[in-house]
Every structure is written in structure tokens, then in C-alpha cells.
Amino acid sequence: MTIPFVSLVNQHQQIRTEMENAFRQTMEGGQFVLGSAVNEFEKEYAAFNETPYCVSVGNGLDALICALMTIGIKAGDEVIVPSHTCYATWLAVDKVGATPVPVEVHESTFTVDENRIESSITARTKAILPVHLYGYPCRMDRIMEIAKAHGLCVVEDNAQAHGARFQNRLTGSWGDVNATSFYPTKNLGALGDGGAVTTHHQEFAEFIQSYRNYGAVTKDVFSMTGINSRLDELQASLLRIKLRYVNQWNEQRRSMATYYHQLLQSVGDISLPSLGDDDAHPVFHLYVIRTNHRNALQKFLNEQGIGTAIHYPVAVHQQKAFEKLNFKMGSLPVAEKLSNTILSLPIWPGLTREDQERVAATIKTFFDHL
Ligand SMILES: *Cc1c(COP(=O)(O)O)cnc(C)c1O
């Protein structure tokens, strides 16, 4: 029996009838884009996220781009990003013409090191873009203070952290305007692409409602040159169903992380991810360990039928696409080291304790024979 790195089979079995009804209703409903399911989902996600406004878009990258556009980020501006993140975070900054300025992350939580942000602020800095990577919340209290002191906007990248909290306040509800993704494997995922922006500001929500739909004010009247990035009715209906389960699934992820933590204590040279603290309530989109034997361990697990993944194997500043930023090897040592040592273990609703025990036992065998 193999243990896949990720599987949605259990999740979908649990809500199969509801999903089949949604497929049928969408097919028979006759409205496929920007209809009532999208409206309802936006209201429900805004309530879930504890923000007054939610505007859905086609994917997480577009959500980030819309968020940066609405606060006026443009060519010549700088945006502070984490050195270790998904490529899409930096890509969004580049797409609006601005320059991503990386700040190194904490190795134990993989989130931006708030103590290093201020030394990266220049006269061109316009915004800070913290990423709640792997579902672990950034220190938002400090980040908001720094932004305020320097007159900067904050855009949270909440694509991996639906339902996470910092100081009992949801991630994706702190910043001026925040982006998330509903890519299928995210903690809240569609059966295709999807994304959303959340905000406390009506004018930002209204801008994005127009911008995502060509820049339309009303049908056939255009006030700006927008894009086409609309969530469709089918994905919205499926997301409405899954939204009712996401807290339950997050609790399962948290208890799996706690169990891995027990099982993998003092195995080889492994460093385990933080389980959180009084302030940080993570939701474990991913469970990421660190080891100097990463490639060999991944190969061994794969041979034993255990799927793993690497998020991400090449640091963003070392991607060819960002050669233009002129980073030299060694310029972001934490990000470079993480890209060579991190390994994501299976963690998904439906993974059993026996599965986790087998993953841990196989890792122990690997280190016993090293
Ligand atoms: C998935 C993800 C994105 C991009 O979302 P898409 O829907 O794939 O465009 C952005 N940032 C982070 C941190 C992500 O994990």
C-alpha cells in the first residue's frame, strides 16, 4: 500500500452527495459566471474570514495582483516579500511592475523575520507582503506596527492558511487587503482554480469587483483596463460546501502535526516544524521537516511507497526568471539552505494514525541505516 503525498479522496467521499447536487444545480441553473453562488460564497467567506468584504477571482496569483493594484503599487515601487515562499508571491509583485525586496525568514516557522524588515525599507518601499507559509501565521502585531510607523500598506498572502489565527485574529484579516487561493490542494480548495481578496475597505473591494471583470462599471461601460479573472458558479458552489468543513479539516491537520511531533522526536538530524504558541495558531497546510539528508531520505521514502514533496526546491531569487534582480549565490543564505533541506510529509484529512506511524517508522529505518 502506498501513502500518497496528498489525496482529496476522503474529503470528497465525506461530501459526495452535496457536491453531486451542486454539479446538477449548476448545470440546470443556466448562470455559469458571476451568479448567485459566487455572491453567496463571497458573503460566507467574508464572514468566515472576519472581514466585511470578500471579492472572488480566478486564482491566487490574480488575487495578489488585484490586491497590489488596488493599493496603487506600480513600476518603481518596492514591496517587501519573504525570501522563502511560493514563486507566485514574488511574481505578483513583478506583474504590477514593482520590485520584490526579500527579507529572510525564521527557520523554525518559515515565516518572514519581522526583526529584519525595517533594515530593508527604502524611500521606494510601498508595502509589506507577509506569507503565512505552510499555514503558520506571521507575527502580524509587529508587522502592522512597522507598516504604520513607515506609512506602508500590508498585503497578506493567505493562500496556505485559511482559518489560521494570530493572537486570536484570523490571518487574512490583518492587512489592508489580503489575497488567498482555492487551488485544489489548499486547505480550502476548489475542483479547479479559484482565489479571493479580503479587506475591511469598501473602496478596495469595489475596485477589484470592477478590475476582475474587464474594468466594467456596468455592462458595456468601462472605467479602466481590467482583466478577466472571475470565479465560476460551479467552483463557488463547491467552495460553499467545503467552507462548512474547513475548520474540522484544519483540526484534523493540527492533530496530525501533533502526532508527527511525538513520533519524530529525536530522529536522526531532523528539525520539526513549530506547533505554534500562545499567539500563533497554525493550520498545517503542509508539515515540513528539515534534514541534511533530504534527497536521500526522499528517495528512500519514495521506494517504500511514501509520497513526499519539496516546497520549494529552488529559492525564488535563484530562479532564472528573477536573474534580473542580480542576486548572487549566498545572498539569501536562509532561503538557500531551506531549499536544500526541507521535506514536506503527507498531511491531509483522512490520513490515518497508522499511515503516520508507517511514515515515522520508515524515516527511523532510514536514519538507523545511515
Ligand atoms: C498557491 C499559492 C499562491 C498562488 O495561488 P494560485 O491559485 O496557484 O495562483 C500564492 N501564494 C502562495 C503562498 C501559495 O501557496
Side-chain angles (χ1 to χ4, degrees), residues 264 300 356-366 368:
L264 293 170
F300 184 74
Q356 289 194 269
E357 285 156 13
R358 203 179 115 204
V359 172
T362 311
I363 293 173
K364 278 184 196 143
T365 307
F366 170 80
D368 287 346

Side-chain angles (χ1 to χ4, degrees), residues 59-61 64 85-86 88-89 131 157 159-160 181 183 186 194 312:
N59 55 70
L61 174 65
L64 282 166
T85 182
C86 167
T89 312
V131 181
D157 180 340
Q160 301 193 358
S181 163
Y183 182 81
K186 303 281 156 110
Y312 302 90

Side-chain angles (χ1 to χ4, degrees), residues 32-34 38 56-59 62 193-195 209 212-214 227-233 235:
F32 301 104
V33 171
L34 295 184
V38 167
S56 60
V57 293
N59 55 70
D62 284 351
D193 279 309
Q209 269 158 4
R212 71 173 174 186
N213 190 25
Y214 304 156
I227 58 175
N228 175 356
S229 187
R230 304 175 294 219
L231 189 68
D232 61 69
E233 287 286 289
Q235 300 307 338

Side-chain angles (χ1 to χ4, degrees), residues 1-4 10 255-256 259-260 263 304-306 346 348 350-363:
M1 279 295 282
T2 62
I3 302 175
N10 289 72
S255 97
M256 287 168 200
Y259 196 41
Y260 270 141
L263 293 170
Q304 304 300 312
I306 295 169
W348 35 270
L351 185 76
T352 65
R353 292 216 144 204
E354 292 68 40
D355 291 335
Q356 289 194 269
E357 285 156 13
R358 203 179 115 204
V359 172
T362 311
I363 293 173

